[in-house]
Amino acid sequence: MTIFNVDNKAIIGVIGLGIMGSSFASNLLSRGYNVHVYNRTKEKAQSLIEKGAIFHSTPRELASAADIIMTSLTDETAVDSVAFGKDGLLDGARKGSLWIDLSTIDPSASIKHSKAAKKAGLNRLDTPVVGSKDLASKGELIILVGGNQTVFEKYEEFLKELGKTVIYLGEDGNGHKMKLAINLHLGLLAESFSEALTFSQKLGFNTKTFVETINKTPIGNYISQGKGPKIVEGNFEPAFSLNNLFKDLRLINAQITRTGAVLPMTKVAIEEYSRAIQNGEGQKDFSVIALELQRKNGLT
Ligand code: NAP
């Protein structure tokens, strides 16, 4: 097996320059890679072009230039359109090149994409990520990998340029399955934090006191430490949008139906997030769920 040569001569194509894709591209540029980019909305590529990225006007054109094609897109529909649509990446990709999908999508879609890639002569891994834009721009994400083990081992060193922890989980779709399980915990954690915060307010504490106190205890966690101080400030600038977390909760719900899992808290949390979406908060960070609960309790 030839190990992929991790040098900056390789051409890396990034398709999708949202919060995460632009951070991946920026990280790779700072590491000296030749980074080629495509985004449906070209304006979002401007700052990367100024840093040296090459813009392509179609996924097909980008794929024909790249050794590795990365997709970081909202959902299955977006990946389908970029991969299989007119001027899609599968039409342009060179045989033997690699496509990694860092989006969070349904595991069965991931398996479907892998089959199509293999048919077109490409290697593909599902590589959804844990961590947000700060870790993405430093190359310190956690990457959950599904797909052929030989392909994974060939490209493992490259994946470590994107994530400090790279975890191989087995066959196609397994990266995306694990990602859903982790994001279920993330969604429940944010709802649970919001309830404790609101309860503390009802007991007469202000939000700053609650956040500072919980973060001095062993109960402090990713949400209370990472999001808590921002919730106190009322800062809901999106690092991970409520719309995207809710998209994952819908995928989780479909897997709950498929597997017959009985998850009572999940049902309630999905209703709460759904209400926040209906109230027009979808573009904000998912931690806005705390604000929703405060409103419901007459606290804002
Ligand atoms: P985002 O900021 O909303 O960006 C979404 C990207 O998808 C944009 O480039 C958008 O293009 C593109 N897109 C959407 N629909 C499309 C379509 N039909 N055709 C072509 N392009 C389309 O999302 P993000 O936060 O970067 O997340 C990207 C993926 O990573 C999602 O699956 C998300 O769940 C996952 N994720 C996010 C985080 C996080 O912390 N943000 C963490 C882990 C995983 P336009 O610019 O043209 O709209």
Side-chain angles (χ1 to χ4, degrees):
M1 177 187 59
T2 318
I3 304 293
F4 180 73
N5 192 11
V6 185
D7 65 19
N8 51 21
K9 291 193 195 81
I11 294 182
I12 314 297
V14 182
I15 298 182
L17 302 174
I19 293 173
M20 295 302 275
S22 55
S23 304
F24 299 136
S26 171
N27 166 49
L28 290 168
L29 282 165
S30 69
R31 288 169 191 250
Y33 281 92
N34 291 312
V35 177
H36 290 218
V37 293
Y38 165 81
N39 197 53
R40 180 179 60 175
T41 312
K42 185 179 175 186
E43 296 73 57
K44 288 195 194 162
Q46 197 49 46
S47 65
L48 292 163
I49 294 169
E50 281 159 20
K51 287 186 205 163
I54 311 266
F55 186 83
H56 292 272
S57 53
T58 63
R60 175 189 179 142
E61 195 185 288
L62 174 141
S64 68
D67 297 298
I68 296 178
I69 304 150
M70 298 168 53
T71 42
S72 178
L73 299 157
T74 307
D75 54 16
E76 176 181 343
T77 309
V79 180
D80 278 351
S81 113
V82 153
F84 311 120
K86 185 174 176 295
D87 290 325
L89 78 87
L90 283 193
D91 283 343
R94 288 187 252 132
K95 289 202 188 316
S97 57
L98 175 73
W99 169 21
I100 56 175
D101 187 16
L102 301 101
S103 326
T104 304
I105 59 166
D106 189 79
S108 53
S110 180
I111 293 165
K112 176 186 82 179
H113 294 162
S114 189
K115 280 189 184 143
K118 275 174 207 157
K119 213 169 153 196
L122 264 75
N123 295 305
R124 181 192 169 281
L125 296 170
D126 40 303
T127 54
V129 302
V130 179
S132 204
K133 62 177 177 182
D134 293 345
L135 295 184
S137 54
K138 289 188 278 189
E140 292 183 2
L141 290 161
I142 293 83
I143 306 190
L144 309 171
V145 186
N148 180 287
Q149 186 162 2
T150 307
V151 174
F152 164 67
E153 285 167 2
K154 177 172 177 182
Y155 291 98
E156 188 175 3
E157 284 310 306
F158 173 73
L159 293 175
K160 287 182 180 159
E161 299 280 55
L162 306 171
K164 67 174 177 187
T165 307
V166 179
I167 305 170
Y168 178 70
L169 291 159
E171 63 192 10
D172 289 325
N174 277 7
H176 282 118
K177 283 182 187 167
M178 184 60 80
K179 172 66 185 171
L180 291 189
I182 289 171
N183 269 20
L184 171 56
H185 187 54
L186 180 71
L188 292 179
L189 209 55
E191 172 61 19
S192 145
F193 172 79
S194 303
E195 294 202 12
L197 176 77
T198 301
F199 179 58
S200 78
Q201 288 180 275
K202 287 283 188 189
L203 294 178
F205 295 104
N206 66 42
T207 53
K208 188 164 183 278
T209 303
F210 174 72
V211 170
E212 286 178 358
T213 305
I214 195 170
N215 284 339
K216 286 180 187 150
T217 76
I219 315 299
N221 58 43
Y222 174 77
I223 295 290
S224 68
Q225 289 156 4
K227 304 287 184 187
K230 292 183 179 157
I231 293 170
V232 171
E233 289 167 13
N235 175 357
F236 299 104
E237 189 194 328
F240 180 35
S241 70
L242 175 62
N243 279 336
N244 275 344
L245 177 68
F246 192 66
K247 172 260 303 178
D248 296 348
L249 289 171
R250 278 194 276 108
L251 297 178
I252 288 161
N253 211 19
Q255 295 299 328
I256 290 174
T257 306
R258 188 183 68 78
T259 59
V262 180
L263 308 175
M265 277 171 63
T266 304
K267 255 179 114 172
V268 176
I270 290 175
E271 282 166 19
E272 291 305 307
Y273 283 106
S274 170
R275 193 168 304 111
I277 298 267
Q278 283 160 22
N279 289 343
E281 303 287 18
Q283 308 276 358
K284 295 187 183 153
D285 193 79
F286 73 99
S287 55
V288 77
I289 195 71
L291 183 63
E292 275 296 300
L293 196 61
Q294 288 169 326
R295 281 189 191 132
K296 203 171 170 181
N297 279 273
L299 292 166
T300 57

